[in-house]
């Protein structure tokens, strides 16, 4: 198929050696978990009950790309405390060939992030009520949710959704669905609409949409090409905010309920509901502008697939053509942040992205802006300053043509700043163009509110972190 060949030629798919490497990582992590629980048994004078490592996400369903990370969850018996796991297991990982290691405690789902054999991994933790995991309980059984805390419940959601999908898709259709999903993910990445925090969709949400297409297409057998055509056809014409549901909803007691009985989703602009109780939103950060971006891209993709009867290389190249964001708009907003360290820079790369939907909502209040397109890519750079005056100018967005002027006139006080840049492309109403003065657009209020939103998320360690917004062309 031309789709698969294109992805292969682009180096997006893994070869057999890379596939084997991921399988080895899972096996090796299970061995390290066995080492961890054996130590606990000795430390706390209890019987040795192993934890189980369970892959989920794109890797588990065979739809990952070469650059994809691996989502893993440690399923633990009741006697293994979360505090003990997040304190001791990272120490065991440090003794391995780990390039990066970070424990993220303050998150809805706490995780250990690390890179093993050049594969990024996110590992979460679930503590069940059971005192033994031999055999591993059926994770789709809602009875497992009884008595566990909210963090464990959230951490179980990804593995449960994966098992639901595996149960949903017929064995003979699994390869077609995985192949189609790889194409969709590669297309979404190239077109700049792969990113949940900014208001687009991540791999899990694209998977839910493809599964909905799979359920509603009346075909006895599926090919990846047919699934892709049906997918773009369905979602190019979907009437939001009509909810996307894969199954009949039910309450805590298993009784059927309607979508309207779930108040937490009634304000969603693009309600995509996960299929396992307790239900989650697949796109909780959508804004009017991010919805328009998604609709434009889905309609473009459908127009391409609907206009051809065969998968020529030219057709596939056109569908996957990267979006030329830097040449698409006449006006841009540049969101800039300066941090004091690479650690802060990496932390704020994600936190700043999560603030962008707020900026889009604020821009939507300005009637002169007809369209705002947030770009998912974040650029990073490093600035070496020489004086305090140069530092202050940098954090105000003033960049000197000749930096040597600073240390000719001021005392040296050198340091380094680590910069982040996000961009939003703008389309303006004709009313925003003054025939004499050119473009006139007052965004002072929106910019101030956005900066206050970002600052509200700063901690004491971020006291010297600076954020600003500039208009660029």
């Amino acid at each position: 198929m031309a789709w698969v060949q294109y992805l292969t030629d682009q180096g997006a798919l893994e070869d057999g050696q890379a596939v084997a490497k991921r399988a080895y990582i899972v096996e090796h992590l299970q061995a390290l978990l066995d080492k961890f629980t054996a130590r606990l048994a000795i430390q706390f004078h209890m019987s040795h009950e192993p934890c189980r490592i369970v892959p989920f996400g794109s890797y588990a369903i065979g739809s990952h790309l070469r650059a994809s990370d691996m989502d893993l969850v440690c399923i633990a018996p009741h006697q293994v405390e979360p505090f003990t796991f997040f304190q001791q297991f990272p120490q065991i990982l440090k003794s391995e060939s780990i390039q990066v290691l970070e424990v993220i405690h303050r998150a809805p789902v706490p995780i250990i992030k690390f890179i093993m054999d050049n594969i990024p991994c996110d590992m979460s933790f679930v503590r069940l009520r059971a005192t033994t995991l031999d055999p591993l309980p059926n994770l789709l059984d809602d009875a497992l949710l009884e008595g566990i805390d909210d963090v464990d419940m959230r951490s179980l959601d990804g593995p449960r959704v994966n098992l639901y999908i595996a149960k949903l898709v017929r064995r003979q259709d699994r390869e077609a669905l995985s192949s189609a999903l790889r194409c969709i993910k590669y297309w979404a990445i190239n077109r700049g609409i792969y990113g949940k925090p900014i208001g687009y969709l991540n791999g899990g949400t694209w998977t839910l949409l493809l599964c909905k297409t799979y359920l509603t297409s009346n075909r006895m057998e599926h090919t990846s090409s047919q699934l892709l055509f049906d997918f773009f056809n369905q979602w190019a014409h979907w009437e939001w905010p009509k909810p996307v549901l894969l199954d009949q909803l039910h309450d805590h007691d298993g009784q059927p309920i309607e979508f309207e009985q779930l108040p937490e989703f009634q304000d969603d602009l693009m309600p995509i509901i996960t299929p396992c109780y307790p239900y989650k939103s697949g796109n909780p950060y959508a804004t009017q502008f991010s919805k328009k971006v998604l609709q434009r891209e889905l309609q473009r993709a459908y127009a391409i697939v609907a206009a051809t009867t065969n998968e020529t290389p030219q057709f596939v190249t056109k569908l996957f053509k990267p979006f030329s964001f830097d040449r698409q708009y006449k006006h841009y907003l540049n969101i800039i942040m300066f941090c004091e360290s690479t650690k802060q820079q990496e932390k704020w790369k994600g936190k700043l992205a999560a603030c962008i939907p707020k900026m889009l909502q604020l821009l939507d209040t300005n009637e002169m802006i007809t369209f705002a397109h947030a770009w998912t890519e974040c650029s990073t750079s490093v600035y070496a300053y020489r004086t305090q005056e140069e530092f202050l100018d940098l954090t105000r967005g003033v960049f000197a043509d000749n930096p040597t002027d600073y240390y000719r006139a001021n005392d040296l006080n050198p340091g380094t700043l680590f910069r982040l840049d996000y961009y939003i492309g703008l389309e303006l109403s004709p009313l925003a163009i003054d025939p004499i003065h050119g473009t006139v657009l007052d965004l002072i209020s929106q910019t101030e509110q956005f900066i206050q939103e970002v600052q509200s998320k700063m901690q004491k360690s971020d006291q010297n972190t600076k954020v600003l917004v500039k208009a660029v062309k």
Side-chain angles (χ1 to χ4, degrees):
M1 291 177 289
W3 313 90
V4 177
Q5 187 59 50
Y6 181 87
L7 265 62
T8 301
D9 293 343
Q10 297 299 311
L13 302 183
E14 290 187 330
D15 56 20
Q17 185 177 3
V19 171
K21 181 196 290 187
R22 289 182 186 261
Y24 167 77
I25 288 174
V26 175
E27 293 177 4
H28 188 54
L29 288 172
Q30 181 62 61
L32 294 179
L33 278 176
D34 291 343
K35 182 178 179 181
F36 162 70
T37 50
R39 286 184 182 180
L40 289 187
I42 296 172
Q43 181 181 353
F44 295 105
H45 308 289
M46 60 185 184
S47 62
H48 180 208
E49 291 293 342
C51 297
R52 295 283 294 274
I53 189 163
V54 176
F56 65 99
S58 61
Y59 170 67
I61 59 177
S63 63
H64 61 287
L65 300 173
R66 180 181 291 275
S68 299
D69 60 8
M70 291 178 67
D71 293 311
L72 308 156
V73 60
C74 169
I75 307 291
H78 190 71
Q79 55 268 36
V80 180
E81 298 272 356
F83 174 80
T84 306
F85 172 78
F86 284 107
Q87 182 186 58
Q88 296 191 19
F89 191 67
Q91 298 304 316
I92 294 176
L93 286 173
K94 285 180 180 179
S95 66
E96 300 296 312
S97 55
I98 302 294
Q99 292 104 315
V100 176
L101 178 66
E102 181 183 9
V103 181
I104 302 177
H105 294 284
R106 296 182 179 181
V109 176
I111 59 172
I112 304 172
K113 294 181 72 72
F114 57 94
I115 298 177
M116 179 176 281
D117 287 344
N118 297 314
I119 303 291
C121 301
D122 291 347
M123 190 171 184
S124 53
F125 176 86
V126 171
R127 182 194 189 197
L128 299 181
R129 289 180 306 151
T131 57
T132 181
L133 301 181
D134 186 19
L136 183 68
N138 177 14
L139 299 183
L140 283 176
D141 185 355
D142 285 354
L144 284 180
L145 305 178
E146 295 291 339
I148 68 173
D149 64 26
D150 290 344
V151 173
D152 288 324
M153 201 173 292
R154 288 193 293 269
S155 300
L156 263 180
D157 186 60
R160 277 162 58 85
V161 170
N162 260 86
L163 289 171
Y164 177 91
I165 292 171
K167 185 178 177 180
L168 171 77
V169 180
R170 294 174 299 186
R171 184 179 299 275
Q172 65 267 29
D173 294 329
R174 289 178 184 173
E175 180 53 39
L177 187 131
S178 294
S179 180
L181 189 53
R182 284 193 290 267
C183 292
I184 291 166
K185 290 175 64 175
Y186 188 77
W187 161 80
I189 292 168
N190 276 13
R191 301 301 297 177
I193 51 174
Y194 192 93
K196 188 174 180 179
I198 289 181
Y200 305 125
L201 309 184
N202 65 1
T205 315
W206 287 116
T207 302
L208 294 180
L209 293 188
L210 182 59
C211 286
K212 181 67 174 180
T213 299
Y214 175 80
L215 286 173
T216 53
S217 61
N218 298 316
R219 299 182 187 272
M220 294 299 295
E221 293 186 14
H222 293 81
T223 66
S224 58
S225 297
Q226 291 168 337
L227 277 171
L228 286 167
F229 178 86
D230 293 343
F231 173 87
F232 288 123
N233 182 16
Q234 182 172 24
W235 302 112
H237 300 99
W238 191 261
E239 296 181 359
W240 303 103
K242 179 182 176 182
V244 179
L245 306 171
L246 297 189
D247 206 344
Q248 170 65 55
L249 302 173
H250 64 81
D251 62 15
H252 180 269
D253 298 319
Q255 297 301 310
I257 58 173
E258 298 301 320
F259 173 74
E260 290 72 22
Q261 294 174 258
L262 297 172
E264 62 268 36
F265 303 125
Q266 299 311 307
D267 293 331
D268 282 12
L269 297 176
M270 302 178 73
I272 304 169
I273 310 304
T274 59
C276 298
Y277 182 88
Y279 304 110
K280 304 290 189 299
S281 172
N283 189 15
Y285 311 116
T287 63
Q288 290 291 354
F289 284 136
S290 65
K291 182 181 76 170
K292 287 180 180 179
V293 173
L294 285 164
Q295 288 176 314
R296 281 188 180 186
E297 286 302 320
L298 287 162
Q299 289 162 3
R300 170 191 175 273
Y302 175 66
I304 293 171
V305 299
T308 185
T309 56
N310 53 19
E311 299 173 11
T312 63
Q314 294 78 10
F315 150 71
V316 175
T317 300
K318 184 178 181 181
L319 179 69
F320 289 129
K321 181 181 179 181
F323 189 90
S324 301
F325 181 78
D326 57 344
R327 299 196 299 271
Q328 188 68 27
Y329 302 102
K330 292 182 179 179
H331 307 279
Y332 296 86
L333 291 180
N334 181 196
I335 300 171
I336 306 170
M337 175 171 279
F338 286 104
C339 305
E340 289 188 306
S341 66
T342 54
K343 186 176 181 180
Q344 281 186 316
Q345 185 185 46
E346 186 62 30
K347 177 186 75 172
W348 274 100
K349 188 176 182 180
K351 291 184 69 174
L352 189 57
C355 296
I356 289 177
K358 177 64 176 179
M359 186 61 174
L360 295 175
Q361 291 173 344
L362 292 168
L363 294 175
D364 199 21
T365 65
N366 190 309
E367 61 184 10
M368 297 298 178
I369 298 175
T370 59
F371 187 71
H373 182 172
W375 191 235
T376 53
E377 293 183 10
C378 175
S379 62
T380 60
S381 53
V382 180
Y383 281 80
Y385 61 87
R386 300 158 185 79
T387 68
Q388 185 65 18
E389 288 72 17
E390 186 179 5
F391 165 82
L392 293 173
D393 277 354
L394 284 172
T395 58
R396 288 193 290 259
V398 178
F399 305 99
D401 293 330
N402 187 9
T404 58
D405 292 341
Y406 286 106
Y407 57 84
R408 286 173 178 166
N410 302 282
D411 294 334
L412 290 177
N413 186 16
T416 304
L417 285 173
F418 299 85
R419 176 172 168 171
L420 297 169
D421 289 87
Y422 280 100
Y423 290 90
I424 300 175
L426 302 178
E427 292 180 2
L428 306 181
S429 164
L431 298 176
I433 312 299
D434 186 279
I436 298 176
H437 301 99
T439 304
V440 178
L441 188 63
D442 182 0
L443 294 177
I444 294 176
S445 174
Q446 289 87 347
T447 298
E448 289 178 347
Q449 290 182 66
F450 172 72
I451 291 174
Q452 290 172 5
E453 172 78 11
V454 176
Q455 291 173 338
S456 71
K457 300 182 183 303
M458 291 183 179
Q459 301 168 347
K460 189 175 181 180
S461 60
D462 299 314
Q463 59 183 352
N464 292 323
T465 299
K466 307 295 182 182
V467 61
L468 60 140
V469 181
K470 293 185 65 176
V472 294
K473 290 186 178 181

